[in-house]
Amino acid sequence: MPYGSILRRALDITWRHKILWIFGIVLAVLGGSAGNAWSGQSGAQFSGDRSTWEDLGRRLPLGRIGDLNWDAIIPVIVGVGLLALFVGLVFLIVGLIARYTAYGALIHGVDEAERTGDTTFNSALRAGWGRFLHLLAIDLLLGIIMFAFVLALVVVILIGLALVIGPAVALGTGGGEAAVAAGIVWGVITFLIWLAVVILLTAAVSAAFTVLREYALRFSVLEGHGIFQSIGSAWRLAIGHLGPTLLMWLILTLVGLAVGLVLIPVALVGIGVAAAILGLAYAVTESWILLAVLAIPLLLILGAIVTIGSGIYQTFVSAVWTLTFRELRGQETPVLTGPEV
């Protein structure tokens, strides 16, 4: 398989058809797993003793806490909670629709650009919208399978830990310096073996899930296969072209690491520049209000740059897998049925 040619064509399609960046940015925004850590503590401490409650009651315009009409307040709290739950559910549904529509749109857009030399936002969007339920179901089913493999991997890890710790402790407590040394040697050697096995199993599960997912999504979008048929066809395609498939996965993994190594210093430079601007503004004006006014657009600019960069990268990765899929499908030998009579 022409790996270099596929990467160059993917770069060319990504750069020439910038309309596809919109779908990549959608995936960058909705497909990430980053979250905000919350420690559950704030700068202000609240003791909650009787004097604190009484002081709070005196400060409230409604009077003391005990005098509040809880029969009227509790339904309001419940209503606000249910409203927040409903809004969150709406955002979740809209996010899923947008995410899997973007998956399908990118796949169709790259394929159309490769076939015809051009693609449009409307054609890509229509293709993604028409298959988003199938793509969601494929992802959900593969996620369940992935979860089962992760459980099996946890069992392997626990068995490996038992093989490492058990004999090492038994040898170490057997008495004498020789037993302790033997226990240490056994523990180090078996731990390294166990760690290598865990890394290999994790990489294998990750590669299998990624490949099956990428191929199954493309069978669904480009060839109109059903949910189970797409997964089955993806399995057969991956097994039939195991070497090229794994090598492309490895190449994209290395590309992802390289992109990460490049983006980290760029992000640090951006944060440093923003911090320098804010520091200079505060040193000149000593105004926290001006600092906040400047911080908001700087953070928005940094966030936009990171999001757009991630969206372009998502577009490129999708293009690579679509072109790989097309290449492997083109290499398959058609079934000969003989001449018609």
Side-chain angles (χ1 to χ4, degrees):
M1 187 164 63
Y3 303 99
S5 175
I6 288 176
L7 294 175
R8 286 191 299 271
R9 282 152 53 202
L11 278 173
D12 181 61
I13 289 174
T14 301
W15 182 252
R16 286 194 298 111
H17 303 282
K18 297 179 180 61
I19 196 68
L20 298 177
W21 293 5
I22 297 175
F23 304 111
I25 291 172
V26 171
L27 293 182
V29 173
L30 300 177
S33 59
N36 294 323
W38 172 247
S39 62
Q41 298 180 350
S42 62
Q45 298 297 321
F46 185 74
S47 61
D49 57 15
R50 181 178 180 82
S51 62
T52 306
W53 283 106
E54 291 176 351
D55 181 67
L56 180 61
R58 285 193 296 269
R59 295 175 183 272
L60 286 172
L62 298 178
R64 297 177 182 273
I65 295 294
D67 297 333
L68 294 177
N69 186 3
W70 290 106
D71 291 337
I73 293 175
I74 289 177
V76 174
I77 296 174
V78 173
V80 171
L82 291 176
L83 178 61
L85 182 63
F86 174 75
V87 172
L89 183 61
V90 170
F91 274 104
L92 175 63
I93 294 174
V94 172
L96 287 174
I97 294 174
R99 180 182 179 184
Y100 288 96
T101 299
Y103 275 130
L106 269 180
I107 293 170
H108 174 85
V110 172
D111 178 74
E112 187 175 48
E114 180 71 4
R115 287 186 293 103
T116 66
D118 194 15
T119 186
T120 63
F121 177 83
N122 288 335
S123 65
L125 181 62
R126 284 196 301 269
W129 173 256
R131 303 299 294 181
F132 86 87
L133 278 177
H134 290 80
L135 303 186
L136 173 61
I138 289 171
D139 227 7
L140 180 61
L141 184 57
L142 287 176
I144 295 173
I145 298 173
M146 178 73 171
F147 179 73
F149 274 101
V150 169
L151 288 181
L153 184 60
V154 170
V155 173
V156 171
I157 292 174
L158 294 177
I159 293 174
L161 283 175
L163 292 175
V164 170
I165 296 174
V169 172
L171 288 172
T173 57
E177 295 181 357
V180 173
I184 293 174
V185 172
W186 171 267
V188 171
I189 294 175
T190 53
F191 174 78
L192 292 176
I193 296 174
W194 166 78
L195 183 61
V197 170
V198 170
I199 292 174
L200 289 175
L201 286 176
T202 303
V205 172
S206 175
F209 176 75
T210 301
V211 168
L212 286 177
R213 181 177 183 273
E214 298 297 341
Y215 286 168
L217 296 183
R218 280 151 183 81
F219 271 112
S220 176
V221 174
L222 302 181
E223 301 191 12
H225 288 191
I227 297 167
F228 294 98
Q229 185 184 8
S230 295
I231 296 175
S233 299
W235 171 262
R236 289 188 292 272
L237 182 65
I239 293 298
H241 303 275
L242 188 59
T245 294
L246 291 180
L247 186 53
M248 183 57 75
W249 173 84
L250 180 60
I251 290 172
L252 284 178
T253 300
L254 295 176
V255 169
L257 291 175
V259 170
L261 291 176
V262 171
L263 289 181
I264 289 175
V266 171
L268 292 177
V269 170
I271 293 173
V273 171
I277 294 174
L278 294 176
L280 180 61
Y282 181 75
V284 172
T285 64
E286 295 186 356
S287 171
W288 289 103
I289 297 177
L290 179 61
L291 197 66
V293 171
L294 288 176
I296 293 174
L298 285 175
L299 290 176
L300 290 176
I301 292 171
L302 288 175
I305 292 173
V306 172
T307 302
I308 292 173
S310 300
I312 295 172
Y313 177 70
Q314 291 276 3
T315 305
F316 167 74
V317 171
S318 180
V320 170
W321 280 116
T322 299
L323 296 177
T324 301
F325 176 85
R326 287 174 51 87
E327 185 72 28
L328 294 181
R329 289 293 283 165
Q331 291 178 6
E332 291 185 345
T333 304
V335 178
L336 300 178
T337 59
E340 294 182 358
V341 178

